[in-house]
Amino acid sequence: ATGAAFLALPPHWRVRWPRWSAPPVGLLGGLLSGMFGTGGPPVIIWYRLAGAGKSTFRGNLMAIWMLVSLTRLPAYGVAGLLTVPRLWSGLAVLPAVLLGGWLGHRIHLEIAERTFQRAVAVALAIIGALLLLRRT
């Protein structure tokens, strides 16, 4: 629903969030990340509605997810979730991840701001649909 709403929004529509709203949004993202493995939507919605340009949007999300990963990795290790087969599996997909990161960066440099906003809206719709369909 949010993705569809974003597609309907005028390109320069903005929300002036109060400063205090960032920590609750981050907390909600962290809770969803811990519960479902996808804490991005609240943060994505917050930045998109704040009118962050594509570089700011992308840079902030990358920093947040890097910090989440740096926290999650040791926690998974302590919980015994990092096994040798999982580490090998991670190494096996690393070339594809690096290639995807490089391609994404190249696309980011070339894509227009409005096209980027539409892509975010479509991605949110897909994430939402997958969460509704996921059976754990």
Side-chain angles (χ1 to χ4, degrees):
T2 303
F6 281 175
L7 287 171
L9 282 178
H12 299 293
W13 194 77
R14 308 279 185 267
V15 171
R16 287 189 153 260
W17 297 110
R19 284 178 125 349
W20 61 263
S21 67
V25 169
L27 178 64
L28 179 60
L31 286 171
L32 291 174
S33 182
M35 291 169 49
F36 304 110
T38 180
V43 179
I44 291 168
I45 292 166
W46 195 85
Y47 277 113
R48 169 58 181 92
L49 290 178
K54 66 179 186 171
S55 293
T56 300
F57 181 91
R58 182 173 169 249
N60 285 336
L61 290 179
M62 286 173 36
I64 289 167
W65 289 329
M66 179 190 70
L67 292 171
V68 167
S69 295
L70 289 174
T71 303
R72 188 182 292 174
L73 198 58
Y76 284 0
V78 168
L81 298 174
L82 293 180
T83 63
V84 172
R86 286 186 179 142
L87 291 173
W88 280 114
S89 176
L91 282 174
V93 299
L94 184 60
V97 169
L98 294 174
L99 177 62
W102 179 80
L103 285 172
H105 176 70
R106 300 296 307 161
I107 292 168
H108 166 77
L109 295 175
E110 302 296 327
I111 195 170
E113 187 74 36
R114 184 64 181 144
T115 304
F116 180 80
Q117 290 175 353
R118 286 186 187 121
V120 168
V122 169
L124 270 177
I126 291 169
I127 291 169
L130 291 174
L131 285 174
L132 288 173
L133 296 173
R134 182 185 282 181
R135 300 203 190 273
T136 54

